[in-house]
Amino acid sequence: QVQLVESGGGLVQPGGSLRLSCAASRSILSFYAMGWYRQAPGKQRELVARIIRSGRTEYVDSVKGRFTISRDNAKNTVDLQMNSLKPEDTHVYYCNAADSGSYWGQGTQVTVSS
């Protein structure tokens, strides 16, 4: 059983920053990839960013240059630094870990509003 616990969501003004963190219950290097997804009400969940075991990172076009995914192998955490936030970044953000299966955290709300 894999547990992923997210933290760091909240309310921020446009142009502000937030940092999300995901703590895994086992070594993050045991997964092929770890990533952050987001979902708005009535919409499909979409990939925001992920980091592959090799260290390669991938981002959806809408966040490139603003968001940065990183990991701490010793702490088994994966963070998402979000800068220059926009109202359209308002979603529930989910941490995901993928190997032969796919595991999800409980989600954390990010609201960008003045």
Side-chain angles (χ1 to χ4, degrees), residues 36-78:
W36 286 93
Y37 289 69
R38 64 188 184 185
Q39 187 171 24
K43 299 289 184 64
Q44 283 193 325
R45 195 169 294 185
E46 65 172 359
L47 174 67
V48 177
R50 70 173 185 167
I51 184 164
I52 309 301
R53 184 183 291 137
S54 64
R56 180 169 59 89
T57 57
E58 301 173 351
Y59 298 89
V60 68
D61 285 347
S62 61
V63 308
K64 285 180 179 177
R66 300 189 298 123
F67 291 11
T68 303
I69 190 169
S70 62
R71 69 187 182 195
D72 186 324
N73 299 336
K75 296 181 179 179
N76 292 321
T77 57
V78 176

Tab-separated table of all heavy atoms in Angstrom, residues 36-78:
chain	number	residue	atom	x	y	z
A	36	TRP	N	2.511	15.699	-10.656
A	36	TRP	CA	1.397	16.497	-10.146
A	36	TRP	C	0.356	16.652	-11.246
A	36	TRP	O	0.707	16.987	-12.384
A	36	TRP	CB	1.884	17.868	-9.689
A	36	TRP	CG	2.640	17.833	-8.401
A	36	TRP	CD1	3.993	17.734	-8.245
A	36	TRP	CD2	2.088	17.890	-7.092
A	36	TRP	NE1	4.313	17.706	-6.912
A	36	TRP	CE2	3.156	17.806	-6.181
A	36	TRP	CE3	0.791	17.992	-6.586
A	36	TRP	CZ2	2.972	17.833	-4.796
A	36	TRP	CZ3	0.607	18.024	-5.226
A	36	TRP	CH2	1.685	17.945	-4.341
A	37	TYR	N	-0.879	16.393	-10.882
A	37	TYR	CA	-2.011	16.557	-11.775
A	37	TYR	C	-2.957	17.569	-11.143
A	37	TYR	O	-2.862	17.862	-9.946
A	37	TYR	CB	-2.752	15.229	-11.967
A	37	TYR	CG	-2.023	14.210	-12.785
A	37	TYR	CD1	-0.860	13.590	-12.311
A	37	TYR	CD2	-2.486	13.842	-14.056
A	37	TYR	CE1	-0.191	12.645	-13.080
A	37	TYR	CE2	-1.822	12.902	-14.820
A	37	TYR	CZ	-0.679	12.308	-14.325
A	37	TYR	OH	-0.021	11.376	-15.089
A	38	ARG	N	-3.878	18.082	-11.952
A	38	ARG	CA	-4.873	18.991	-11.402
A	38	ARG	C	-6.225	18.747	-12.067
A	38	ARG	O	-6.290	18.244	-13.189
A	38	ARG	CB	-4.451	20.448	-11.552
A	38	ARG	CG	-4.325	20.942	-12.968
A	38	ARG	CD	-3.705	22.342	-12.981
A	38	ARG	NE	-3.643	22.897	-14.328
A	38	ARG	CZ	-3.056	24.050	-14.614
A	38	ARG	NH1	-2.483	24.777	-13.662
A	38	ARG	NH2	-3.052	24.504	-15.861
A	39	GLN	N	-7.251	19.126	-11.338
A	39	GLN	CA	-8.610	18.878	-11.826
A	39	GLN	C	-9.530	19.992	-11.345
A	39	GLN	O	-9.526	20.357	-10.166
A	39	GLN	CB	-9.113	17.523	-11.323
A	39	GLN	CG	-10.432	17.089	-11.901
A	39	GLN	CD	-10.765	15.662	-11.531
A	39	GLN	OE1	-10.296	15.110	-10.534
A	39	GLN	NE2	-11.588	15.007	-12.352
A	40	ALA	N	-10.304	20.504	-12.284
A	40	ALA	CA	-11.333	21.479	-11.971
A	40	ALA	C	-12.683	20.767	-11.961
A	40	ALA	O	-12.833	19.711	-12.591
A	40	ALA	CB	-11.322	22.595	-13.002
A	41	PRO	N	-13.655	21.317	-11.264
A	41	PRO	CA	-14.978	20.677	-11.207
A	41	PRO	C	-15.541	20.420	-12.607
A	41	PRO	O	-15.549	21.312	-13.459
A	41	PRO	CB	-15.826	21.694	-10.447
A	41	PRO	CG	-14.847	22.433	-9.600
A	41	PRO	CD	-13.608	22.525	-10.437
A	42	GLY	N	-15.963	19.199	-12.853
A	42	GLY	CA	-16.550	18.848	-14.131
A	42	GLY	C	-15.566	18.641	-15.262
A	42	GLY	O	-15.971	18.406	-16.406
A	43	LYS	N	-14.282	18.739	-14.944
A	43	LYS	CA	-13.260	18.582	-15.981
A	43	LYS	C	-12.426	17.325	-15.717
A	43	LYS	O	-12.417	16.784	-14.605
A	43	LYS	CB	-12.335	19.806	-16.000
A	43	LYS	CG	-13.035	21.115	-16.306
A	43	LYS	CD	-13.458	21.193	-17.732
A	43	LYS	CE	-14.084	22.544	-18.078
A	43	LYS	NZ	-13.120	23.644	-17.952
A	44	GLN	N	-11.720	16.895	-16.755
A	44	GLN	CA	-10.834	15.751	-16.582
A	44	GLN	C	-9.569	16.169	-15.838
A	44	GLN	O	-9.135	17.309	-15.921
A	44	GLN	CB	-10.452	15.182	-17.958
A	44	GLN	CG	-11.538	14.344	-18.604
A	44	GLN	CD	-11.032	13.548	-19.790
A	44	GLN	OE1	-10.174	14.001	-20.532
A	44	GLN	NE2	-11.559	12.349	-19.964
A	45	ARG	N	-9.004	15.208	-15.137
A	45	ARG	CA	-7.746	15.451	-14.462
A	45	ARG	C	-6.650	15.554	-15.519
A	45	ARG	O	-6.594	14.726	-16.443
A	45	ARG	CB	-7.452	14.310	-13.486
A	45	ARG	CG	-6.378	14.593	-12.474
A	45	ARG	CD	-6.351	13.511	-11.404
A	45	ARG	NE	-7.569	13.514	-10.586
A	45	ARG	CZ	-7.730	12.724	-9.522
A	45	ARG	NH1	-6.761	11.903	-9.156
A	45	ARG	NH2	-8.857	12.771	-8.836
A	46	GLU	N	-5.767	16.545	-15.383
A	46	GLU	CA	-4.714	16.738	-16.371
A	46	GLU	C	-3.339	16.761	-15.709
A	46	GLU	O	-3.185	17.187	-14.563
A	46	GLU	CB	-4.919	18.064	-17.132
A	46	GLU	CG	-4.794	19.301	-16.279
A	46	GLU	CD	-4.814	20.592	-17.082
A	46	GLU	OE1	-4.909	20.545	-18.323
A	46	GLU	OE2	-4.721	21.666	-16.450
A	47	LEU	N	-2.368	16.276	-16.466
A	47	LEU	CA	-0.994	16.295	-15.996
A	47	LEU	C	-0.477	17.726	-15.993
A	47	LEU	O	-0.629	18.442	-16.979
A	47	LEU	CB	-0.106	15.427	-16.887
A	47	LEU	CG	1.389	15.462	-16.590
A	47	LEU	CD1	1.680	14.843	-15.234
A	47	LEU	CD2	2.155	14.737	-17.694
A	48	VAL	N	0.143	18.127	-14.897
A	48	VAL	CA	0.781	19.432	-14.798
A	48	VAL	C	2.285	19.293	-15.007
A	48	VAL	O	2.879	19.984	-15.836
A	48	VAL	CB	0.512	20.072	-13.429
A	48	VAL	CG1	1.239	21.409	-13.309
A	48	VAL	CG2	-0.983	20.245	-13.205
A	49	ALA	N	2.886	18.397	-14.261
A	49	ALA	CA	4.331	18.185	-14.348
A	49	ALA	C	4.642	16.817	-13.778
A	49	ALA	O	3.938	16.332	-12.892
A	49	ALA	CB	5.095	19.260	-13.572
A	50	ARG	N	5.707	16.212	-14.301
A	50	ARG	CA	6.155	14.967	-13.708
A	50	ARG	C	7.657	14.865	-13.823
A	50	ARG	O	8.292	15.518	-14.659
A	50	ARG	CB	5.467	13.762	-14.336
A	50	ARG	CG	5.862	13.431	-15.749
A	50	ARG	CD	5.223	12.110	-16.165
A	50	ARG	NE	5.678	11.684	-17.485
A	50	ARG	CZ	5.488	10.477	-17.970
A	50	ARG	NH1	4.854	9.547	-17.256
A	50	ARG	NH2	5.918	10.161	-19.184
A	51	ILE	N	8.214	14.045	-12.943
A	51	ILE	CA	9.641	13.793	-12.961
A	51	ILE	C	9.851	12.293	-13.058
A	51	ILE	O	9.281	11.513	-12.279
A	51	ILE	CB	10.334	14.425	-11.721
A	51	ILE	CG1	11.830	14.246	-11.777
A	51	ILE	CG2	9.754	13.894	-10.411
A	51	ILE	CD1	12.592	15.154	-10.812
A	52	ILE	N	10.623	11.919	-14.041
A	52	ILE	CA	10.891	10.518	-14.312
A	52	ILE	C	12.027	10.050	-13.388
A	52	ILE	O	12.810	10.871	-12.896
A	52	ILE	CB	11.286	10.312	-15.780
A	52	ILE	CG1	10.267	10.980	-16.702
A	52	ILE	CG2	11.388	8.815	-16.117
A	52	ILE	CD1	8.866	10.476	-16.540
A	53	ARG	N	12.141	8.740	-13.185
A	53	ARG	CA	13.185	8.196	-12.324
A	53	ARG	C	14.569	8.712	-12.729
A	53	ARG	O	15.420	8.977	-11.887
A	53	ARG	CB	13.161	6.679	-12.337
A	53	ARG	CG	14.154	6.007	-11.379
A	53	ARG	CD	14.096	4.507	-11.539
A	53	ARG	NE	12.851	3.938	-11.059
A	53	ARG	CZ	12.171	2.997	-11.704
A	53	ARG	NH1	12.595	2.539	-12.873
A	53	ARG	NH2	11.040	2.527	-11.200
A	54	SER	N	14.792	8.879	-14.027
A	54	SER	CA	16.098	9.335	-14.529
A	54	SER	C	16.396	10.783	-14.144
A	54	SER	O	17.537	11.225	-14.226
A	54	SER	CB	16.135	9.222	-16.052
A	54	SER	OG	15.173	10.101	-16.629
A	55	GLY	N	15.355	11.510	-13.762
A	55	GLY	CA	15.499	12.923	-13.436
A	55	GLY	C	14.908	13.845	-14.494
A	55	GLY	O	14.810	15.051	-14.274
A	56	ARG	N	14.556	13.281	-15.622
A	56	ARG	CA	13.954	14.109	-16.675
A	56	ARG	C	12.601	14.637	-16.218
A	56	ARG	O	11.828	13.935	-15.576
A	56	ARG	CB	13.777	13.277	-17.946
A	56	ARG	CG	13.153	14.038	-19.111
A	56	ARG	CD	13.260	13.212	-20.392
A	56	ARG	NE	12.610	11.923	-20.282
A	56	ARG	CZ	11.329	11.709	-20.570
A	56	ARG	NH1	10.568	12.722	-20.947
A	56	ARG	NH2	10.815	10.493	-20.474
A	57	THR	N	12.329	15.872	-16.560
A	57	THR	CA	11.068	16.509	-16.162
A	57	THR	C	10.220	16.855	-17.380
A	57	THR	O	10.746	17.082	-18.478
A	57	THR	CB	11.316	17.788	-15.345
A	57	THR	OG1	12.123	18.684	-16.111
A	57	THR	CG2	12.015	17.469	-14.034
A	58	GLU	N	8.934	16.855	-17.184
A	58	GLU	CA	7.985	17.189	-18.241
A	58	GLU	C	6.936	18.129	-17.681
A	58	GLU	O	6.531	17.973	-16.522
A	58	GLU	CB	7.312	15.919	-18.775
A	58	GLU	CG	8.260	14.899	-19.345
A	58	GLU	CD	7.581	13.593	-19.710
A	58	GLU	OE1	6.393	13.424	-19.364
A	58	GLU	OE2	8.246	12.717	-20.308
A	59	TYR	N	6.486	19.073	-18.504
A	59	TYR	CA	5.494	20.054	-18.074
A	59	TYR	C	4.440	20.236	-19.155
A	59	TYR	O	4.736	20.185	-20.348
A	59	TYR	CB	6.149	21.415	-17.809
A	59	TYR	CG	7.182	21.421	-16.711
A	59	TYR	CD1	8.520	21.157	-16.989
A	59	TYR	CD2	6.821	21.695	-15.396
A	59	TYR	CE1	9.469	21.157	-15.987
A	59	TYR	CE2	7.769	21.699	-14.381
A	59	TYR	CZ	9.085	21.429	-14.684
A	59	TYR	OH	10.030	21.438	-13.676
A	60	VAL	N	3.227	20.522	-18.719
A	60	VAL	CA	2.206	20.943	-19.662
A	60	VAL	C	2.568	22.350	-20.130
A	60	VAL	O	3.159	23.143	-19.371
A	60	VAL	CB	0.808	20.898	-19.000
A	60	VAL	CG1	0.667	21.938	-17.917
A	60	VAL	CG2	-0.286	21.009	-20.035
A	61	ASP	N	2.257	22.677	-21.364
A	61	ASP	CA	2.687	23.957	-21.937
A	61	ASP	C	2.245	25.161	-21.107
A	61	ASP	O	2.978	26.145	-20.986
A	61	ASP	CB	2.144	24.098	-23.360
A	61	ASP	CG	2.899	23.228	-24.360
A	61	ASP	OD1	3.977	22.704	-24.013
A	61	ASP	OD2	2.400	23.070	-25.484
A	62	SER	N	1.064	25.090	-20.534
A	62	SER	CA	0.512	26.248	-19.843
A	62	SER	C	1.268	26.634	-18.575
A	62	SER	O	1.061	27.735	-18.046
A	62	SER	CB	-0.962	25.995	-19.503
A	62	SER	OG	-1.098	24.876	-18.655
A	63	VAL	N	2.133	25.757	-18.070
A	63	VAL	CA	2.873	26.081	-16.837
A	63	VAL	C	4.373	26.193	-17.069
A	63	VAL	O	5.111	26.529	-16.128
A	63	VAL	CB	2.592	25.055	-15.720
A	63	VAL	CG1	1.092	24.878	-15.503
A	63	VAL	CG2	3.269	23.724	-15.984
A	64	LYS	N	4.826	25.939	-18.274
A	64	LYS	CA	6.269	26.013	-18.545
A	64	LYS	C	6.793	27.408	-18.246
A	64	LYS	O	6.185	28.408	-18.627
A	64	LYS	CB	6.544	25.643	-20.003
A	64	LYS	CG	6.426	24.161	-20.295
A	64	LYS	CD	6.704	23.855	-21.764
A	64	LYS	CE	6.604	22.368	-22.052
A	64	LYS	NZ	6.813	22.065	-23.487
A	65	GLY	N	7.917	27.458	-17.549
A	65	GLY	CA	8.512	28.740	-17.176
A	65	GLY	C	7.967	29.314	-15.884
A	65	GLY	O	8.519	30.278	-15.353
A	66	ARG	N	6.867	28.737	-15.385
A	66	ARG	CA	6.275	29.233	-14.134
A	66	ARG	C	6.343	28.199	-13.010
A	66	ARG	O	6.509	28.564	-11.847
A	66	ARG	CB	4.805	29.617	-14.373
A	66	ARG	CG	4.600	30.692	-15.410
A	66	ARG	CD	3.152	31.173	-15.428
A	66	ARG	NE	2.219	30.107	-15.780
A	66	ARG	CZ	1.193	29.722	-15.028
A	66	ARG	NH1	0.968	30.307	-13.850
A	66	ARG	NH2	0.371	28.757	-15.435
A	67	PHE	N	6.199	26.940	-13.346
A	67	PHE	CA	6.199	25.859	-12.348
A	67	PHE	C	7.483	25.048	-12.463
A	67	PHE	O	8.010	24.861	-13.558
A	67	PHE	CB	5.017	24.916	-12.565
A	67	PHE	CG	3.656	25.494	-12.275
A	67	PHE	CD1	3.458	26.850	-12.056
A	67	PHE	CD2	2.548	24.658	-12.221
A	67	PHE	CE1	2.207	27.367	-11.804
A	67	PHE	CE2	1.287	25.154	-11.964
A	67	PHE	CZ	1.121	26.521	-11.760
A	68	THR	N	7.944	24.557	-11.327
A	68	THR	CA	9.124	23.701	-11.305
A	68	THR	C	8.865	22.512	-10.390
A	68	THR	O	8.496	22.688	-9.228
A	68	THR	CB	10.354	24.458	-10.802
A	68	THR	OG1	10.580	25.607	-11.621
A	68	THR	CG2	11.596	23.561	-10.849
A	69	ILE	N	9.066	21.316	-10.930
A	69	ILE	CA	8.942	20.106	-10.130
A	69	ILE	C	10.334	19.674	-9.690
A	69	ILE	O	11.297	19.766	-10.447
A	69	ILE	CB	8.217	18.985	-10.908
A	69	ILE	CG1	7.879	17.814	-9.988
A	69	ILE	CG2	9.006	18.532	-12.128
A	69	ILE	CD1	6.935	16.790	-10.620
A	70	SER	N	10.425	19.221	-8.450
A	70	SER	CA	11.710	18.768	-7.923
A	70	SER	C	11.471	17.637	-6.936
A	70	SER	O	10.349	17.426	-6.478
A	70	SER	CB	12.451	19.922	-7.242
A	70	SER	OG	11.710	20.417	-6.136
A	71	ARG	N	12.518	16.948	-6.603
A	71	ARG	CA	12.380	15.838	-5.665
A	71	ARG	C	13.529	15.844	-4.670
A	71	ARG	O	14.619	16.336	-4.956
A	71	ARG	CB	12.330	14.503	-6.409
A	71	ARG	CG	13.628	14.109	-7.068
A	71	ARG	CD	13.462	12.850	-7.922
A	71	ARG	NE	14.736	12.461	-8.517
A	71	ARG	CZ	14.854	11.593	-9.509
A	71	ARG	NH1	13.781	11.026	-10.035
A	71	ARG	NH2	16.042	11.286	-9.976
A	72	ASP	N	13.260	15.252	-3.513
A	72	ASP	CA	14.283	15.036	-2.502
A	72	ASP	C	14.283	13.540	-2.215
A	72	ASP	O	13.392	13.035	-1.525
A	72	ASP	CB	13.969	15.849	-1.241
A	72	ASP	CG	15.074	15.777	-0.201
A	72	ASP	OD1	15.694	14.697	-0.062
A	72	ASP	OD2	15.311	16.782	0.478
A	73	ASN	N	15.238	12.848	-2.771
A	73	ASN	CA	15.267	11.393	-2.652
A	73	ASN	C	15.419	10.929	-1.208
A	73	ASN	O	14.885	9.896	-0.817
A	73	ASN	CB	16.391	10.822	-3.502
A	73	ASN	CG	16.225	11.128	-4.974
A	73	ASN	OD1	15.115	11.362	-5.454
A	73	ASN	ND2	17.327	11.160	-5.700
A	74	ALA	N	16.148	11.690	-0.415
A	74	ALA	CA	16.374	11.296	0.976
A	74	ALA	C	15.096	11.417	1.806
A	74	ALA	O	14.849	10.613	2.711
A	74	ALA	CB	17.482	12.135	1.582
A	75	LYS	N	14.296	12.423	1.491
A	75	LYS	CA	13.058	12.648	2.240
A	75	LYS	C	11.853	11.987	1.595
A	75	LYS	O	10.760	12.002	2.154
A	75	LYS	CB	12.805	14.150	2.387
A	75	LYS	CG	13.858	14.883	3.209
A	75	LYS	CD	13.519	16.363	3.320
A	75	LYS	CE	14.557	17.088	4.162
A	75	LYS	NZ	14.263	18.554	4.257
A	76	ASN	N	12.041	11.442	0.395
A	76	ASN	CA	10.929	10.840	-0.356
A	76	ASN	C	9.802	11.839	-0.592
A	76	ASN	O	8.616	11.538	-0.385
A	76	ASN	CB	10.406	9.588	0.345
A	76	ASN	CG	11.408	8.462	0.325
A	76	ASN	OD1	12.099	8.266	-0.675
A	76	ASN	ND2	11.515	7.728	1.418
A	77	THR	N	10.197	13.019	-1.013
A	77	THR	CA	9.216	14.055	-1.311
A	77	THR	C	9.386	14.582	-2.730
A	77	THR	O	10.495	14.566	-3.282
A	77	THR	CB	9.329	15.233	-0.330
A	77	THR	OG1	10.657	15.755	-0.379
A	77	THR	CG2	8.995	14.814	1.087
A	78	VAL	N	8.294	15.016	-3.295
A	78	VAL	CA	8.278	15.672	-4.599
A	78	VAL	C	7.526	16.980	-4.437
A	78	VAL	O	6.395	16.985	-3.941
A	78	VAL	CB	7.609	14.801	-5.666
A	78	VAL	CG1	7.531	15.552	-6.993
A	78	VAL	CG2	8.379	13.506	-5.852
